[in-house]
mmCIF file with all atom_site columns, all heavy atoms in Angstrom:
data_model
loop_
_atom_site.group_PDB
_atom_site.id
_atom_site.type_symbol
_atom_site.label_atom_id
_atom_site.label_alt_id
_atom_site.label_comp_id
_atom_site.label_asym_id
_atom_site.label_entity_id
_atom_site.label_seq_id
_atom_site.pdbx_PDB_ins_code
_atom_site.Cartn_x
_atom_site.Cartn_y
_atom_site.Cartn_z
_atom_site.occupancy
_atom_site.B_iso_or_equiv
_atom_site.pdbx_formal_charge
_atom_site.auth_seq_id
_atom_site.auth_comp_id
_atom_site.auth_asym_id
_atom_site.auth_atom_id
_atom_site.pdbx_PDB_model_num
ATOM 1   N N   . GLY A 1 216 ? -9.398  8.526  -1.052 1.00 89.00 ? 216 GLY A N   1
ATOM 2   C CA  . GLY A 1 216 ? -8.323  8.882  -0.130 1.00 89.00 ? 216 GLY A CA  1
ATOM 3   C C   . GLY A 1 216 ? -8.071  10.373 -0.038 1.00 89.00 ? 216 GLY A C   1
ATOM 4   O O   . GLY A 1 216 ? -7.043  10.804 0.486  1.00 89.00 ? 216 GLY A O   1
ATOM 5   N N   . GLU A 1 217 ? -9.015  11.180 -0.498 1.00 93.00 ? 217 GLU A N   1
ATOM 6   C CA  . GLU A 1 217 ? -8.795  12.627 -0.567 1.00 93.00 ? 217 GLU A CA  1
ATOM 7   C C   . GLU A 1 217 ? -8.636  13.284 0.794  1.00 93.00 ? 217 GLU A C   1
ATOM 8   O O   . GLU A 1 217 ? -8.011  14.339 0.907  1.00 93.00 ? 217 GLU A O   1
ATOM 9   C CB  . GLU A 1 217 ? -9.943  13.291 -1.343 1.00 93.00 ? 217 GLU A CB  1
ATOM 10  C CG  . GLU A 1 217 ? -9.955  12.947 -2.818 1.00 93.00 ? 217 GLU A CG  1
ATOM 11  C CD  . GLU A 1 217 ? -11.049 13.687 -3.584 1.00 93.00 ? 217 GLU A CD  1
ATOM 12  O OE1 . GLU A 1 217 ? -11.699 14.556 -2.967 1.00 93.00 ? 217 GLU A OE1 1
ATOM 13  O OE2 . GLU A 1 217 ? -11.232 13.400 -4.776 1.00 93.00 ? 217 GLU A OE2 1
ATOM 14  N N   . ASP A 1 218 ? -9.212  12.674 1.836  1.00 97.00 ? 218 ASP A N   1
ATOM 15  C CA  . ASP A 1 218 ? -9.138  13.284 3.164  1.00 97.00 ? 218 ASP A CA  1
ATOM 16  C C   . ASP A 1 218 ? -8.116  12.612 4.080  1.00 97.00 ? 218 ASP A C   1
ATOM 17  O O   . ASP A 1 218 ? -8.062  12.898 5.277  1.00 97.00 ? 218 ASP A O   1
ATOM 18  C CB  . ASP A 1 218 ? -10.516 13.292 3.837  1.00 97.00 ? 218 ASP A CB  1
ATOM 19  C CG  . ASP A 1 218 ? -11.188 11.923 3.840  1.00 97.00 ? 218 ASP A CG  1
ATOM 20  O OD1 . ASP A 1 218 ? -10.502 10.920 3.590  1.00 97.00 ? 218 ASP A OD1 1
ATOM 21  O OD2 . ASP A 1 218 ? -12.412 11.877 4.088  1.00 97.00 ? 218 ASP A OD2 1
ATOM 22  N N   . PHE A 1 219 ? -7.292  11.735 3.537  1.00 98.00 ? 219 PHE A N   1
ATOM 23  C CA  . PHE A 1 219 ? -6.357  10.989 4.380  1.00 98.00 ? 219 PHE A CA  1
ATOM 24  C C   . PHE A 1 219 ? -5.335  11.902 5.068  1.00 98.00 ? 219 PHE A C   1
ATOM 25  O O   . PHE A 1 219 ? -4.923  11.647 6.203  1.00 98.00 ? 219 PHE A O   1
ATOM 26  C CB  . PHE A 1 219 ? -5.626  9.915  3.572  1.00 98.00 ? 219 PHE A CB  1
ATOM 27  C CG  . PHE A 1 219 ? -6.457  8.682  3.281  1.00 98.00 ? 219 PHE A CG  1
ATOM 28  C CD1 . PHE A 1 219 ? -7.823  8.666  3.518  1.00 98.00 ? 219 PHE A CD1 1
ATOM 29  C CD2 . PHE A 1 219 ? -5.864  7.535  2.772  1.00 98.00 ? 219 PHE A CD2 1
ATOM 30  C CE1 . PHE A 1 219 ? -8.585  7.532  3.259  1.00 98.00 ? 219 PHE A CE1 1
ATOM 31  C CE2 . PHE A 1 219 ? -6.615  6.391  2.515  1.00 98.00 ? 219 PHE A CE2 1
ATOM 32  C CZ  . PHE A 1 219 ? -7.979  6.396  2.753  1.00 98.00 ? 219 PHE A CZ  1
ATOM 33  N N   . MET A 1 220 ? -4.895  12.956 4.388  1.00 98.00 ? 220 MET A N   1
ATOM 34  C CA  . MET A 1 220 ? -3.947  13.880 5.007  1.00 98.00 ? 220 MET A CA  1
ATOM 35  C C   . MET A 1 220 ? -4.587  14.593 6.200  1.00 98.00 ? 220 MET A C   1
ATOM 36  O O   . MET A 1 220 ? -3.954  14.768 7.246  1.00 98.00 ? 220 MET A O   1
ATOM 37  C CB  . MET A 1 220 ? -3.444  14.902 3.980  1.00 98.00 ? 220 MET A CB  1
ATOM 38  C CG  . MET A 1 220 ? -2.560  14.301 2.901  1.00 98.00 ? 220 MET A CG  1
ATOM 39  S SD  . MET A 1 220 ? -0.975  13.669 3.535  1.00 98.00 ? 220 MET A SD  1
ATOM 40  C CE  . MET A 1 220 ? -0.070  15.198 3.735  1.00 98.00 ? 220 MET A CE  1
ATOM 41  N N   . ASP A 1 221 ? -5.847  14.983 6.060  1.00 98.00 ? 221 ASP A N   1
ATOM 42  C CA  . ASP A 1 221 ? -6.561  15.622 7.167  1.00 98.00 ? 221 ASP A CA  1
ATOM 43  C C   . ASP A 1 221 ? -6.721  14.660 8.336  1.00 98.00 ? 221 ASP A C   1
ATOM 44  O O   . ASP A 1 221 ? -6.607  15.056 9.501  1.00 98.00 ? 221 ASP A O   1
ATOM 45  C CB  . ASP A 1 221 ? -7.930  16.104 6.703  1.00 98.00 ? 221 ASP A CB  1
ATOM 46  C CG  . ASP A 1 221 ? -7.850  17.233 5.683  1.00 98.00 ? 221 ASP A CG  1
ATOM 47  O OD1 . ASP A 1 221 ? -6.869  17.999 5.745  1.00 98.00 ? 221 ASP A OD1 1
ATOM 48  O OD2 . ASP A 1 221 ? -8.749  17.333 4.831  1.00 98.00 ? 221 ASP A OD2 1
ATOM 49  N N   . ILE A 1 222 ? -7.007  13.390 8.015  1.00 98.00 ? 222 ILE A N   1
ATOM 50  C CA  . ILE A 1 222 ? -7.112  12.366 9.062  1.00 98.00 ? 222 ILE A CA  1
ATOM 51  C C   . ILE A 1 222 ? -5.790  12.254 9.814  1.00 98.00 ? 222 ILE A C   1
ATOM 52  O O   . ILE A 1 222 ? -5.758  12.190 11.047 1.00 98.00 ? 222 ILE A O   1
ATOM 53  C CB  . ILE A 1 222 ? -7.512  11.007 8.450  1.00 98.00 ? 222 ILE A CB  1
ATOM 54  C CG1 . ILE A 1 222 ? -8.960  11.058 7.942  1.00 98.00 ? 222 ILE A CG1 1
ATOM 55  C CG2 . ILE A 1 222 ? -7.341  9.877  9.461  1.00 98.00 ? 222 ILE A CG2 1
ATOM 56  C CD1 . ILE A 1 222 ? -9.385  9.840  7.135  1.00 98.00 ? 222 ILE A CD1 1
ATOM 57  N N   . GLY A 1 223 ? -4.679  12.241 9.084  1.00 98.00 ? 223 GLY A N   1
ATOM 58  C CA  . GLY A 1 223 ? -3.368  12.132 9.709  1.00 98.00 ? 223 GLY A CA  1
ATOM 59  C C   . GLY A 1 223 ? -3.048  13.296 10.626 1.00 98.00 ? 223 GLY A C   1
ATOM 60  O O   . GLY A 1 223 ? -2.501  13.112 11.725 1.00 98.00 ? 223 GLY A O   1
ATOM 61  N N   . ILE A 1 224 ? -3.378  14.508 10.194 1.00 98.00 ? 224 ILE A N   1
ATOM 62  C CA  . ILE A 1 224 ? -3.131  15.699 11.016 1.00 98.00 ? 224 ILE A CA  1
ATOM 63  C C   . ILE A 1 224 ? -3.874  15.593 12.348 1.00 98.00 ? 224 ILE A C   1
ATOM 64  O O   . ILE A 1 224 ? -3.302  15.826 13.420 1.00 98.00 ? 224 ILE A O   1
ATOM 65  C CB  . ILE A 1 224 ? -3.551  16.979 10.261 1.00 98.00 ? 224 ILE A CB  1
ATOM 66  C CG1 . ILE A 1 224 ? -2.594  17.238 9.085  1.00 98.00 ? 224 ILE A CG1 1
ATOM 67  C CG2 . ILE A 1 224 ? -3.577  18.186 11.202 1.00 98.00 ? 224 ILE A CG2 1
ATOM 68  C CD1 . ILE A 1 224 ? -3.062  18.312 8.128  1.00 98.00 ? 224 ILE A CD1 1
ATOM 69  N N   . ASP A 1 225 ? -5.144  15.220 12.285 1.00 98.00 ? 225 ASP A N   1
ATOM 70  C CA  . ASP A 1 225 ? -5.943  15.108 13.508 1.00 98.00 ? 225 ASP A CA  1
ATOM 71  C C   . ASP A 1 225 ? -5.519  13.913 14.355 1.00 98.00 ? 225 ASP A C   1
ATOM 72  O O   . ASP A 1 225 ? -5.562  13.973 15.593 1.00 98.00 ? 225 ASP A O   1
ATOM 73  C CB  . ASP A 1 225 ? -7.428  15.013 13.157 1.00 98.00 ? 225 ASP A CB  1
ATOM 74  C CG  . ASP A 1 225 ? -7.998  16.332 12.633 1.00 98.00 ? 225 ASP A CG  1
ATOM 75  O OD1 . ASP A 1 225 ? -7.327  17.366 12.827 1.00 98.00 ? 225 ASP A OD1 1
ATOM 76  O OD2 . ASP A 1 225 ? -9.076  16.315 12.027 1.00 98.00 ? 225 ASP A OD2 1
ATOM 77  N N   . PHE A 1 226 ? -5.110  12.838 13.715 1.00 98.00 ? 226 PHE A N   1
ATOM 78  C CA  . PHE A 1 226 ? -4.642  11.650 14.439 1.00 98.00 ? 226 PHE A CA  1
ATOM 79  C C   . PHE A 1 226 ? -3.435  11.990 15.313 1.00 98.00 ? 226 PHE A C   1
ATOM 80  O O   . PHE A 1 226 ? -3.353  11.581 16.476 1.00 98.00 ? 226 PHE A O   1
ATOM 81  C CB  . PHE A 1 226 ? -4.286  10.552 13.434 1.00 98.00 ? 226 PHE A CB  1
ATOM 82  C CG  . PHE A 1 226 ? -3.667  9.325  14.042 1.00 98.00 ? 226 PHE A CG  1
ATOM 83  C CD1 . PHE A 1 226 ? -4.400  8.478  14.857 1.00 98.00 ? 226 PHE A CD1 1
ATOM 84  C CD2 . PHE A 1 226 ? -2.329  9.001  13.785 1.00 98.00 ? 226 PHE A CD2 1
ATOM 85  C CE1 . PHE A 1 226 ? -3.820  7.336  15.420 1.00 98.00 ? 226 PHE A CE1 1
ATOM 86  C CE2 . PHE A 1 226 ? -1.751  7.861  14.332 1.00 98.00 ? 226 PHE A CE2 1
ATOM 87  C CZ  . PHE A 1 226 ? -2.503  7.032  15.157 1.00 98.00 ? 226 PHE A CZ  1
ATOM 88  N N   . GLU A 1 227 ? -2.511  12.771 14.770 1.00 98.00 ? 227 GLU A N   1
ATOM 89  C CA  . GLU A 1 227 ? -1.296  13.082 15.503 1.00 98.00 ? 227 GLU A CA  1
ATOM 90  C C   . GLU A 1 227 ? -1.536  14.048 16.662 1.00 98.00 ? 227 GLU A C   1
ATOM 91  O O   . GLU A 1 227 ? -0.669  14.210 17.528 1.00 98.00 ? 227 GLU A O   1
ATOM 92  C CB  . GLU A 1 227 ? -0.226  13.615 14.548 1.00 98.00 ? 227 GLU A CB  1
ATOM 93  C CG  . GLU A 1 227 ? 0.269   12.554 13.578 1.00 98.00 ? 227 GLU A CG  1
ATOM 94  C CD  . GLU A 1 227 ? 1.544   12.940 12.856 1.00 98.00 ? 227 GLU A CD  1
ATOM 95  O OE1 . GLU A 1 227 ? 2.090   14.032 13.128 1.00 98.00 ? 227 GLU A OE1 1
ATOM 96  O OE2 . GLU A 1 227 ? 2.015   12.140 12.019 1.00 98.00 ? 227 GLU A OE2 1
ATOM 97  N N   . LYS A 1 228 ? -2.707  14.665 16.686 1.00 97.00 ? 228 LYS A N   1
ATOM 98  C CA  . LYS A 1 228 ? -3.059  15.523 17.827 1.00 97.00 ? 228 LYS A CA  1
ATOM 99  C C   . LYS A 1 228 ? -3.467  14.698 19.046 1.00 97.00 ? 228 LYS A C   1
ATOM 100 O O   . LYS A 1 228 ? -3.393  15.176 20.180 1.00 97.00 ? 228 LYS A O   1
ATOM 101 C CB  . LYS A 1 228 ? -4.202  16.468 17.444 1.00 97.00 ? 228 LYS A CB  1
ATOM 102 C CG  . LYS A 1 228 ? -3.846  17.499 16.390 1.00 97.00 ? 228 LYS A CG  1
ATOM 103 C CD  . LYS A 1 228 ? -5.076  18.292 15.989 1.00 97.00 ? 228 LYS A CD  1
ATOM 104 C CE  . LYS A 1 228 ? -4.754  19.284 14.872 1.00 97.00 ? 228 LYS A CE  1
ATOM 105 N NZ  . LYS A 1 228 ? -5.984  19.995 14.397 1.00 97.00 ? 228 LYS A NZ  1
ATOM 106 N N   . LYS A 1 229 ? -3.890  13.447 18.788 1.00 97.00 ? 229 LYS A N   1
ATOM 107 C CA  . LYS A 1 229 ? -4.438  12.621 19.872 1.00 97.00 ? 229 LYS A CA  1
ATOM 108 C C   . LYS A 1 229 ? -3.595  11.397 20.201 1.00 97.00 ? 229 LYS A C   1
ATOM 109 O O   . LYS A 1 229 ? -3.688  10.846 21.294 1.00 97.00 ? 229 LYS A O   1
ATOM 110 C CB  . LYS A 1 229 ? -5.860  12.168 19.508 1.00 97.00 ? 229 LYS A CB  1
ATOM 111 C CG  . LYS A 1 229 ? -6.849  13.300 19.335 1.00 97.00 ? 229 LYS A CG  1
ATOM 112 C CD  . LYS A 1 229 ? -8.248  12.789 19.114 1.00 97.00 ? 229 LYS A CD  1
ATOM 113 C CE  . LYS A 1 229 ? -8.853  12.177 20.351 1.00 97.00 ? 229 LYS A CE  1
ATOM 114 N NZ  . LYS A 1 229 ? -10.285 11.838 20.172 1.00 97.00 ? 229 LYS A NZ  1
ATOM 115 N N   . TYR A 1 230 ? -2.790  10.945 19.259 1.00 97.00 ? 230 TYR A N   1
ATOM 116 C CA  . TYR A 1 230 ? -2.027  9.719  19.450 1.00 97.00 ? 230 TYR A CA  1
ATOM 117 C C   . TYR A 1 230 ? -0.534  9.970  19.262 1.00 97.00 ? 230 TYR A C   1
ATOM 118 O O   . TYR A 1 230 ? -0.127  10.853 18.508 1.00 97.00 ? 230 TYR A O   1
ATOM 119 C CB  . TYR A 1 230 ? -2.476  8.636  18.461 1.00 97.00 ? 230 TYR A CB  1
ATOM 120 C CG  . TYR A 1 230 ? -3.827  8.042  18.774 1.00 97.00 ? 230 TYR A CG  1
ATOM 121 C CD1 . TYR A 1 230 ? -4.993  8.652  18.339 1.00 97.00 ? 230 TYR A CD1 1
ATOM 122 C CD2 . TYR A 1 230 ? -3.934  6.868  19.525 1.00 97.00 ? 230 TYR A CD2 1
ATOM 123 C CE1 . TYR A 1 230 ? -6.243  8.115  18.636 1.00 97.00 ? 230 TYR A CE1 1
ATOM 124 C CE2 . TYR A 1 230 ? -5.168  6.313  19.822 1.00 97.00 ? 230 TYR A CE2 1
ATOM 125 C CZ  . TYR A 1 230 ? -6.317  6.943  19.375 1.00 97.00 ? 230 TYR A CZ  1
ATOM 126 O OH  . TYR A 1 230 ? -7.542  6.413  19.677 1.00 97.00 ? 230 TYR A OH  1
ATOM 127 N N   . ARG A 1 231 ? 0.238   9.148  19.933 1.00 94.00 ? 231 ARG A N   1
ATOM 128 C CA  . ARG A 1 231 ? 1.690   9.243  19.805 1.00 94.00 ? 231 ARG A CA  1
ATOM 129 C C   . ARG A 1 231 ? 2.137   8.538  18.523 1.00 94.00 ? 231 ARG A C   1
ATOM 130 O O   . ARG A 1 231 ? 1.871   7.350  18.334 1.00 94.00 ? 231 ARG A O   1
ATOM 131 C CB  . ARG A 1 231 ? 2.367   8.605  21.018 1.00 94.00 ? 231 ARG A CB  1
ATOM 132 C CG  . ARG A 1 231 ? 3.890   8.662  20.959 1.00 94.00 ? 231 ARG A CG  1
ATOM 133 C CD  . ARG A 1 231 ? 4.505   8.062  22.212 1.00 94.00 ? 231 ARG A CD  1
ATOM 134 N NE  . ARG A 1 231 ? 5.961   8.053  22.149 1.00 94.00 ? 231 ARG A NE  1
ATOM 135 C CZ  . ARG A 1 231 ? 6.738   9.086  22.471 1.00 94.00 ? 231 ARG A CZ  1
ATOM 136 N NH1 . ARG A 1 231 ? 6.176   10.208 22.891 1.00 94.00 ? 231 ARG A NH1 1
ATOM 137 N NH2 . ARG A 1 231 ? 8.053   8.998  22.387 1.00 94.00 ? 231 ARG A NH2 1
ATOM 138 N N   . VAL A 1 232 ? 2.792   9.268  17.683 1.00 98.00 ? 232 VAL A N   1
ATOM 139 C CA  . VAL A 1 232 ? 3.380   8.719  16.465 1.00 98.00 ? 232 VAL A CA  1
ATOM 140 C C   . VAL A 1 232 ? 4.889   8.931  16.557 1.00 98.00 ? 232 VAL A C   1
ATOM 141 O O   . VAL A 1 232 ? 5.352   10.070 16.669 1.00 98.00 ? 232 VAL A O   1
ATOM 142 C CB  . VAL A 1 232 ? 2.811   9.408  15.210 1.00 98.00 ? 232 VAL A CB  1
ATOM 143 C CG1 . VAL A 1 232 ? 3.534   8.916  13.961 1.00 98.00 ? 232 VAL A CG1 1
ATOM 144 C CG2 . VAL A 1 232 ? 1.313   9.163  15.090 1.00 98.00 ? 232 VAL A CG2 1
ATOM 145 N N   . GLU A 1 233 ? 5.639   7.837  16.553 1.00 98.00 ? 233 GLU A N   1
ATOM 146 C CA  . GLU A 1 233 ? 7.096   7.958  16.603 1.00 98.00 ? 233 GLU A CA  1
ATOM 147 C C   . GLU A 1 233 ? 7.576   8.549  15.280 1.00 98.00 ? 233 GLU A C   1
ATOM 148 O O   . GLU A 1 233 ? 7.128   8.136  14.209 1.00 98.00 ? 233 GLU A O   1
ATOM 149 C CB  . GLU A 1 233 ? 7.737   6.592  16.834 1.00 98.00 ? 233 GLU A CB  1
ATOM 150 C CG  . GLU A 1 233 ? 7.277   5.884  18.100 1.00 98.00 ? 233 GLU A CG  1
ATOM 151 C CD  . GLU A 1 233 ? 7.638   6.637  19.367 1.00 98.00 ? 233 GLU A CD  1
ATOM 152 O OE1 . GLU A 1 233 ? 8.619   7.421  19.354 1.00 98.00 ? 233 GLU A OE1 1
ATOM 153 O OE2 . GLU A 1 233 ? 6.935   6.442  20.380 1.00 98.00 ? 233 GLU A OE2 1
ATOM 154 N N   . ASN A 1 234 ? 8.471   9.528  15.348 1.00 98.00 ? 234 ASN A N   1
ATOM 155 C CA  . ASN A 1 234 ? 8.937   10.144 14.105 1.00 98.00 ? 234 ASN A CA  1
ATOM 156 C C   . ASN A 1 234 ? 10.409  10.494 14.188 1.00 98.00 ? 234 ASN A C   1
ATOM 157 O O   . ASN A 1 234 ? 10.958  10.726 15.274 1.00 98.00 ? 234 ASN A O   1
ATOM 158 C CB  . ASN A 1 234 ? 8.084   11.370 13.762 1.00 98.00 ? 234 ASN A CB  1
ATOM 159 C CG  . ASN A 1 234 ? 8.200   12.456 14.807 1.00 98.00 ? 234 ASN A CG  1
ATOM 160 O OD1 . ASN A 1 234 ? 9.105   13.276 14.769 1.00 98.00 ? 234 ASN A OD1 1
ATOM 161 N ND2 . ASN A 1 234 ? 7.275   12.453 15.769 1.00 98.00 ? 234 ASN A ND2 1
#
Side-chain angles (χ1 to χ4, degrees):
E217 291 184 7
D218 52 15
F219 283 11
M220 292 294 283
D221 293 330
I222 291 171
I224 290 169
D225 289 344
F226 174 68
E227 292 194 2
K228 294 175 183 176
K229 298 186 71 173
Y230 287 85
R231 180 178 178 84
V232 175
E233 302 297 335
N234 63 85

